[in-house]
Amino acid sequence: MSSRSLNPGGASRVRRRALLGTAVLLVLVALAGLAAYLTRDGKEPSKPTAPQARSAAPSSSTASPSGSPSPTSRPHALPVPPNTHDPIAFGKAAAAALWSYDTRAYSQRKLLAALHGWLTTETKYADPPSVDAVVPSPVLWKEMAANGQFATAKVNEGHFPDSFTQALQANPGTITQAYVYAVTVSGKQSIAWNGSPAGGAENRVTTLAVQCRPSHPCALAGAMPSVAP
């Protein structure tokens, strides 16, 4: 009996990842049509992630676009997706959310639920497991909560990977199938906890798949397993 027949759920996850990867490759092909969106509305980042595990966090109270966490700051709210048609602006906000968390303000389960709210409702392209992978596990969350640990993020920049741009230029029409764009975001995550003004900061970079159909605001498709420069 093959391992595939023993694990149908794993096979479906592989198929979903393959679909997402294919969409992003096609996405890699859609940069041309994106220029129009970039000149329209665009919101900026939210917040960043954790030290050993990643998560998403609140809004303006937790992570400021420029700064490190203030240990005296109030607990942060759960992350809310921006209403924008700009893939890069959305990607920056999503990265900030994935890099932020606040164990003082909410549970790990609530954070996961909030992050799932960023995902596209088109299940064919949504990859929840890739988002779950950046959030601390329940056990780790409990340990961090005991110390009141929280993380904030500063987003430096976001762009379409070169491979995506080249693919788009080669076949601009492909993007119209899924309207999924590859967006690489770089920034820094700062962590703090009870009794520590600043626990440390670390550079972050990730490539996200962002869906932006003309008739709907952007939504997250998933986090890619590797970074596309």
Side-chain angles (χ1 to χ4, degrees):
M1 188 177 292
S2 70
S3 59
R4 178 177 302 177
S5 62
L6 291 173
N7 189 6
S12 66
R13 284 193 295 274
V14 170
R15 283 195 296 273
R16 185 181 291 111
R17 284 289 170 82
L19 266 176
L20 180 59
T22 300
V24 171
L25 272 177
L26 300 176
V27 156
L28 286 177
V29 174
L31 224 196
L34 216 190
Y37 290 123
L38 297 179
T39 58
R40 299 178 66 180
D41 53 279
K43 283 206 172 183
E44 296 276 313
S46 358
K47 300 179 185 187
T49 299
Q52 289 178 300
R54 303 176 215 174
S55 249
S59 42
S60 52
S61 55
T62 296
S64 69
S66 61
S68 6
S70 164
T72 57
S73 65
R74 298 177 181 178
H76 311 133
L78 288 163
V80 177
N83 184 351
T84 180
H85 290 275
D86 179 340
I88 290 181
F90 186 91
K92 291 166 70 177
L98 290 171
W99 293 336
S100 305
Y101 62 85
D102 192 341
T103 65
R104 306 166 303 171
Y106 42 75
S107 66
Q108 188 254 17
R109 182 178 299 181
K110 286 186 176 179
L111 176 57
L112 282 177
L115 291 175
H116 284 186
W118 289 61
L119 291 167
T120 173
T121 55
E122 295 183 45
T123 55
K124 181 179 181 180
Y125 301 112
D127 186 11
S130 69
V131 171
D132 297 351
V134 301
V135 176
S137 68
V139 172
L140 179 55
W141 186 276
K142 184 176 181 180
E143 293 176 358
M144 295 191 304
N147 296 316
Q149 187 169 308
F150 63 100
T152 59
K154 173 186 177 181
V155 172
N156 295 328
E157 68 89 39
H159 65 274
F160 296 117
D162 290 341
S163 53
F164 177 77
T165 305
Q166 292 166 9
L168 272 183
Q169 292 173 338
N171 190 357
T174 319
I175 194 71
T176 60
Q177 295 178 28
Y179 283 98
V180 175
Y181 301 81
V183 179
T184 294
V185 182
S186 64
K188 182 170 290 188
Q189 179 192 55
S190 298
I191 302 159
W193 53 85
N194 294 337
S196 169
E202 142 181 348
N203 292 326
R204 295 288 184 185
V205 60
T206 186
T207 297
L208 303 175
V210 177
Q211 184 181 54
C212 295
R213 289 195 181 280
S215 55
H216 299 289
C218 295
L220 184 63
M224 301 306 292
S226 58
V227 174

